[in-house]
Amino acid sequence: MTIKNLDVLINSLESIETITEPNQVAKLSQDYHTFSPVLVPKLAGKVGDIVVRPANEQEVIKVAAICAEHRVPVTVRGAGTGNYGQCVPLHGGVILDTTKLQEILWVKPGVARVEAGVKLAALDKKAREMGWEMRMAPSTYRTATIGGFIAGGSGGIGSVQYGLLGDRGNLIGLRVVTLETEPRVIELRGDDVQKVNHAWGINGIITQVEIPLGPAYPWAEVIVTFDDFITAAKFGQALANADGMIKKLVTIFASPIPQYFQPLQPYIPKDTHPAFLIVAEPSLESLPGLVQQYGGQITYQKPAQEAGKGLNLAEFTWNHTTLHARNVDTSLTYLQSIIPADKGLELVADLYHYFGDEVMVHLEFIRVNGMVVPAALQLVRYSTEERLNEIIRYHEAKGVFIANPHTYIIEDGGRKVIDPEQLKFKEIVDPYGLMNPGKSKVLKFS
């Protein structure tokens, strides 16, 4: 236990909900870093001392003041759907659970303001009632919170159209509470939101988020299968590049990945390579011609009026692909990559043929700097950490950007380096270095 006098801390919190039951605290100290066989032993036994669930911003401020006064580490969590140990406390302390901050403050044409604990699905449902929807969401959108998505995510379903969270305009405003003995509430807007965006909760406690919305479309879900993987990938690139066709998801799987999608087996013939698509119904009429051009076959189609019923293709894509695969074979792990635009599918073909089934290719097309490129969440047959690092080095030598999901250090993962502006902001909002300590090489905790 890192908190010397837990009873004193609990008494100070008064009416704020706290959890001290060891099993519950341990559960709420975890996320899906178990996808990584490298992270599991490194994060084993890392738990907080207490979970605190503030119900509003005033309670967040009170928790922050008490933790700063007693110099107690604070790890903020939403639903815990991250994959890199972002919300695993390395130095114990308080787990600040934001899931009770559930108010949708307002939704206006093209923009919404919500508290950090609002679930993405709830926000999307509310926005659609007014003809709008979230621009992008992870495959965990049914359970993930908006604060967790901003702090630990980067993009997802919708990124083929709108790019990534870090792109200018995809995040309008953030409200954060500082971890000081007299906490302040700071509103960040415009480019200043990047001081907190994807900072893993080291730069203030997010209490409110303001995001842009996109126009809501009636979305159809489609599976197209191909006899050849590279042809499937070329089809995916062509569809993603077709600016006249409105789409939300273009996902390509190399066989044998589809074998892990048991409910979808009737629609994916053995040894074929499927494309999972979410396309606006007004664009559907243009799809069969493109499918025919690449020799594919439409095997499944769900119209928009059946949305929410039966199978949901989005929940087999992005990191849910890894989840489904690991439900069948726990020896599997994954990588996260972006293929450079100048190398594109030629490099995808190189990697596909070089590794074979050891690294099974899963492509998610996204927009980066105005161009659509294939991002990859490859499934890897794990043998040793040494071999995994060899696979990573091979990709990087070919020019592939690897956002390494097998580290809990920000610089070693997707960031590579911490933005100097984030470091400056860290000094302002967390003068005692108590927020999620240990997740950076340059930020030390004593």
Side-chain angles (χ1 to χ4, degrees):
M1 181 173 292
T2 58
I3 300 176
K4 293 180 179 179
N5 196 330
L6 189 58
D7 290 337
V8 171
L9 184 71
I10 293 172
N11 290 336
S12 301
L13 293 168
E14 295 176 339
S15 62
I16 301 173
E17 181 184 353
T18 59
I19 299 172
T20 57
E21 197 281 317
N23 290 330
Q24 276 291 92
V25 173
K27 181 179 179 181
L28 293 169
S29 297
Q30 302 301 306
D31 62 9
Y32 282 86
H33 71 272
T34 49
F35 281 10
S36 168
V38 177
L39 288 179
V40 168
K42 292 181 179 180
L43 296 177
K46 302 295 184 183
V47 298
D49 296 301
I50 182 174
V51 176
V52 181
R53 280 186 176 145
N56 52 56
E57 188 176 81
Q58 285 306 308
E59 290 191 353
V60 171
I61 291 170
K62 184 169 185 177
V63 173
I66 292 168
C67 289
E69 178 186 353
H70 293 278
R71 304 296 192 266
V72 174
V74 175
T75 304
V76 183
R77 69 174 278 127
T81 57
N83 301 103
Y84 329 116
Q86 297 106 310
C87 65
V88 176
L90 299 182
H91 297 280
V94 166
I95 305 295
L96 197 157
D97 184 327
T98 61
T99 54
K100 290 176 73 174
L101 302 174
Q102 295 182 357
E103 186 177 355
I104 297 176
L105 300 167
W106 46 258
V107 178
K108 300 176 182 178
V111 63
R113 180 92 177 187
V114 300
E115 289 189 322
V118 168
K119 290 184 178 180
L120 303 182
L123 170 56
D124 203 49
K125 180 180 179 182
K126 183 68 175 178
R128 289 188 70 87
E129 292 172 0
M130 300 180 63
W132 299 88
E133 64 183 15
M134 289 193 66
R135 288 185 174 183
M136 68 190 73
S139 56
T140 54
Y141 66 94
R142 290 186 188 273
T143 54
T145 65
I146 186 68
F149 184 39
I150 299 302
S154 57
I157 302 151
S159 287
V160 66
Q161 177 67 37
Y162 292 106
L164 299 173
L165 269 179
D167 292 343
R168 181 174 280 113
N170 277 335
L171 182 56
I172 296 173
L174 287 171
R175 188 173 168 101
V176 297
V177 171
T178 67
L179 199 60
E180 302 173 278
T181 52
E182 295 184 8
R184 293 168 292 156
V185 177
I186 299 176
E187 176 83 12
L188 300 172
R189 303 192 68 82
D191 287 350
D192 283 344
V193 298
Q194 303 304 335
K195 295 175 181 177
V196 175
N197 185 20
H198 199 71
W200 292 15
I202 67 171
N203 275 12
I205 303 165
I206 299 173
T207 57
Q208 294 181 17
V209 176
E210 193 172 321
I211 61 167
L213 303 172
Y217 286 92
W219 296 107
E221 300 182 8
V222 182
I223 295 177
V224 185
T225 60
F226 299 85
D227 292 332
D228 174 69
F229 169 70
I230 303 304
T231 303
K234 290 178 178 177
F235 163 82
Q237 184 77 63
L239 174 58
N241 283 339
D243 288 338
M245 296 179 69
I246 308 300
K247 55 269 172 185
K248 195 173 188 176
L249 181 75
V250 179
T251 304
I252 308 296
F253 297 110
S255 179
I257 292 177
Q259 72 178 347
Y260 302 116
F261 306 150
Q262 193 58 43
L264 299 175
Q265 292 303 299
Y267 313 107
I268 308 173
K270 191 175 187 299
D271 297 328
T272 61
H273 311 269
F276 286 10
L277 314 174
I278 299 181
V279 179
E281 285 201 331
S283 296
L284 272 181
E285 192 171 349
S286 301
L287 185 62
L290 187 63
V291 171
Q292 184 178 12
Q293 180 181 338
Y294 286 90
Q297 181 180 359
I298 295 175
T299 59
Y300 173 85
Q301 188 167 316
K302 184 170 82 172
Q305 61 262 34
E306 295 181 15
K309 301 177 183 177
L311 299 171
N312 186 337
L313 291 188
E315 293 184 354
F316 292 86
T317 66
W318 288 83
N319 265 331
H320 260 60
T321 300
T322 310
L323 178 65
H324 283 284
R326 283 181 49 79
N327 283 341
V328 177
D329 183 352
T330 56
S331 70
L332 294 173
T333 188
Y334 74 123
L335 290 178
Q336 296 184 146
S337 322
I338 295 180
I339 311 297
D342 61 339
K343 298 178 185 292
L345 296 183
E346 182 179 343
L347 180 52
V348 170
D350 179 341
L351 299 170
Y352 172 70
H353 291 299
Y354 182 81
F355 287 108
D357 283 357
E358 184 183 18
V359 181
M360 296 170 273
V361 183
H362 160 201
L363 299 178
E364 298 285 354
F365 284 90
I366 64 174
R367 190 171 292 275
V368 175
N369 295 326
M371 299 182 66
V372 175
V373 302
L377 289 91
Q378 308 95 314
L379 289 180
V380 180
R381 298 189 189 279
Y382 182 79
S383 54
T384 65
E385 184 176 357
E386 180 182 15
R387 176 55 181 161
L388 181 62
N389 289 332
E390 288 176 356
I391 293 169
I392 291 172
R393 285 195 296 271
Y394 184 89
H395 282 75
E396 291 178 334
K398 291 286 186 176
V400 177
F401 173 82
I402 296 286
N404 188 358
H406 303 283
T407 176
Y408 58 78
I409 300 297
I410 295 177
E411 298 97 319
D412 292 340
R415 281 289 187 188
K416 305 306 179 188
V417 295
I418 292 185
D419 185 338
E421 290 302 311
Q422 285 195 339
L423 290 177
K424 291 178 185 176
F425 192 65
K426 170 80 169 176
E427 293 176 0
I428 295 170
V429 300
D430 183 23
Y432 308 116
L434 299 173
M435 293 211 66
N436 205 2
K439 300 297 173 63
S440 166
K441 289 179 177 177
V442 299
L443 301 171
K444 303 301 181 183
F445 175 71
S446 56

